[in-house]
Amino acid sequence: MSVAHSGSADARRSGQFVGVIFVFIVLLVIAAVIGHLTLPGLAPVWHFLGAHPILNALVKAVVYVSFIALLVLFLIWWERKFAGWLQARLGPKHVGPQGMLQTLADALKLITKEDITPAVADRPLFYLAPFVVFVPTVLTFMVLPLGPHWIAQDLNVALLYVIAISSMTATGIMAAGWGSNNKYSLLGGVRAVAQLLSYEVPMVMAVLSVVTFVGGLSMRHIIDYQAQNGWLILKWPLIPAFLIFLIAALAELNRTPFDLPEAESELVSGFHTEYSGMRFAFFFLAEFANNFFSAGFAVALFFGGYLGPILPGIVWFILKTFVLITLMMWIRWTVPRLRIDQMMGLCWKLLVPLSLVVFILAAAWASR
Amino acid sequence: MITDTTSRNTMTVNFGPQHPSTHGVLRLIVDIDGEIVRSCRPEIGYLHRGLEKMFESRSYRHNIPFTDRLDYLCSLANNLAICQAIERVGNVEVPERAKYLRVLMVELNRIASHLVFLGTFATDLGATTVFLYAFRERELLLDLLEAMTGARLTYNWIRVGGMPADIPEGYGERVIAFLNQMRPRLDENDRLLTHNRIFRARCEGIGVLKREDAIAWGATGPVARGSGVNLDIRKAAPYEIYDRLDFEVPVFDEGDVMARYKVRIEEMRQSARIVEQVLKTMPEGDIQTKLPKIFKPPAGEAYSRIESPRGELSFYLISDGTPNPVRIHIRAPSFIHLSLLQFMAKDIKVADMIAVAGSLDPVMGEVDR
Amino acid sequence: MDSLNGHKKEGYLSDFVNGFLSIFKGMGVTFVNLVVRPKITVLYPYQRLNVAPRYRGLFWLKWNEEKQRLNCVGCTLCAQACPTNVISMNKLGKGNHAGVDEFDMDLGRCMFCNLCIEACPFDAIYMGPTYELASYERNSSVFHIQVLAQGGAEAVRINNETIKAALAAEAEKKPAAAVHTAKEG
Ligand code: SF4
Ligand code: SF4
């Protein structure tokens, strides 16, 4: 394996150019999709900005992306702090109060770092991969009901949309694994795809249990149902559905015990071994944004979403999501990693049959 | 070692010498077929310093600090082994109290070494938290060793014919307090790691070393005892005061990664028992035999073997009556155990190979010398 | 050894359930560490731990308040005991009034093995608690007597004066010896 990192300056510049263009296109796509909608919560702002649909949509896209970026900054800090406390350490401490600004400092460092491209990399794939991972993540946030009036696009097939969009991440990871032209990356990419595709099945079955139970695919419908009948986690056929969802979500997020694609002790850093600087930051961003989304999705499906007394809906939603994220971190920092065949066995021999049973139970319960 | 490099299906991957999981600078050249390891060849020598040759140009006493750099996780065991060899060739008597002190220090060091194993092995399997818990305990232990020797890693605290200094004031109580804290923490570790279903799935039945193979390939220490070979130099050929102490040698028959792990965990408990007995029964008295300034043992040869945390550590020493040894050879257990990898890590998954390599607990300073 | 046993073969489902329980137990352990146990981090450059009294850090040469000189007599026993030739010195004076005016230690080679300390018959050299000895240049790892001596350069100056004065006093008694010392100095 050649280790020369001698990508010419031209290629590097053009790579950056491609990246910028790509992000821009992404923003446009987001804008186009949610463009003709209104975010009722931000109605005065939209009035102020005028009724121009493209401008309106662009602003919303920017708002969403920066919301995600801020969220991720906070999440990374919280993960590091939590892991630190759990491991009898203190976690970040130096930059800002309790190290709050440490992530910001790290982000700045990553931006200013040299963007190294391996000489033998498959350039288009290598350059595009981080964005291909990042974009679906951003797109999924579109249907996340942050609050009663905070839902960018209340699609009537929201769940279907989420499942379809979020599985696109696998493409990006595969591209990263292949494009890096590194053996560790390749192994990591292969593992990631196998894992993501397999765990999609129990995840979808768990979500479908909820759908059959509630009788609708729209987020608002599910939450309205919970407003009338109590949280779905309290309905007994859905308790195993939640557990299956949680395990599958951990696997989708590549978190220990399912962190095989980036298993440090085996594959150095898995599919993002060769990435540095901003591209690496994008992988990181996508990972944590995905984490927030999965937890938020689970909250919307099982824990009543933004429902809650006194406090405004969005506060409840974020609170519940953070509790769930913390639970995921707690699992992550407790258990060792599975082996690839055990990981697949757990999925196909246990979770898939179990999720089918749960699905049937949920359907039977719903049709009573 | 034949590697099938012509096959289109295999891909050769280097694990190490710079890799997050390898212990030190071990390099494993691995042919993988997808996720399956077809052959695994350890490549050593990245830490070679020519210590055995260096020994020949230095006097006996000058050589002791260099042995710290062999198995740096348990440097007192190396000190003890070379000092025993020198004492044997020079017919030096060691005072009673010094013997007790030696055992005390070596056993404490054994616990520290096994704690490192616990931490690194758990990290190999992805349980990073255990690493920090293990090192938290080890840090307290290193404080104890520092209070005694003044150093935290390369102690150099055993001399030809005794020990350089006695234990400091109140040392026994501190050690007992530490042991009393460590034991519940070990039980806690069992709950966190040993009984964890994922950990068991990763360890049980993996990298099985059969009893015959263990004997044939010269495995010693925890690796042999994990394969059902009841061999512990402390019992088989007692040195210092081990014949007077009451302790058990944990032996497990499975021969898998889990068995080796369990042997080490149990050894920590047994070492704690030994330390307590030593502190209780230690006699008063001298700790160092008077020796001439320039130490010239008579011509001859000597062989010393001790049970280091990694296995049987031996020094073979030839003297010709001059102040410098003619030859010192080291039988390093890690070196011998590494040769087991080529058939233990065969036709198993990549992740298992990491676990198997970790369960041998090699220290490269000792392998390369 | 009982705590390590007890892994028996189980059925498919009970294995699954027990597996889950074992993970919850593990999470209990991490929870205890999260909430109850003290955090052990020491914020190093701001907080420091005290090292043990026997700690083997930077060397120092003992100052003898009574005689107004360093204890070291320049006998080179420590240099001989050192396996890596760290120590070099320049002897000043002789006989009863022997001392050193130069004492260099190239700590880039030192193993902090304690052998030199044990070799010294005059209680002249010790290892102290200073441990931050890293430097950017190789030359900075050579420590001179001005740094090593207890009391610093001032102590070395007084040490040299004391020894020279003692030698001079002796030379007055025995003029023949004075010529010899002057040649050497
Ligand atoms: S500590 Fe050891 S290596 Fe350092 S000067 Fe003293 S004898 Fe030499
Ligand atoms: S330090 Fe001690 S051993 Fe070394 S020259 Fe001075 S008196 Fe002699």
Side-chain angles (χ1 to χ4, degrees), chain A residues 83 85-89 183-184 186-187 190-191 256-257 259-260 263-269 332-342, chain B residues 11-15 19-21 32 34-35 123-129 132-133 136 192-193 196 198-199 201-202 206 349-352 354:
Chain A
W85 285 335
L86 191 135
Q87 297 177 337
R89 297 186 283 118
K183 288 167 184 171
Y184 298 126
L186 182 59
L187 273 178
V190 171
R191 282 181 177 188
T256 333
D259 65 340
L260 295 98
E264 201 208 355
S265 57
E266 295 153 33
L267 302 181
V268 187
S269 202
R332 174 183 186 176
W333 294 109
T334 302
V335 294
R337 183 185 308 126
L338 282 166
R339 203 172 57 211
I340 182 108
D341 56 327
Q342 291 161 348
Chain B
M11 171 163 90
T12 310
V13 183
N14 275 313
F15 283 84
H19 187 278
S21 83
I32 52 173
E35 278 284 340
T123 322
D124 282 350
L125 298 185
T128 24
T129 303
L132 282 132
Y133 291 172
R136 174 179 62 189
L192 174 59
L193 195 66
N196 186 304
I198 298 175
F199 181 75
R202 286 296 306 278
I206 307 300
K349 301 278 186 306
V350 173
D352 287 341
I354 303 287

Side-chain angles (χ1 to χ4, degrees), chain B residues 65, chain C residues 59 78 81-87 105 107 109-117 127:
Chain C
F59 299 83
C78 53
C82 176
T84 49
N85 296 331
V86 170
I87 305 172
M105 300 189 78
L107 296 193
R109 287 207 296 269
C110 177
M111 301 187 282
F112 294 89
C113 65
N114 211 35
L115 291 185
C116 50
I117 315 292
M127 279 160 121

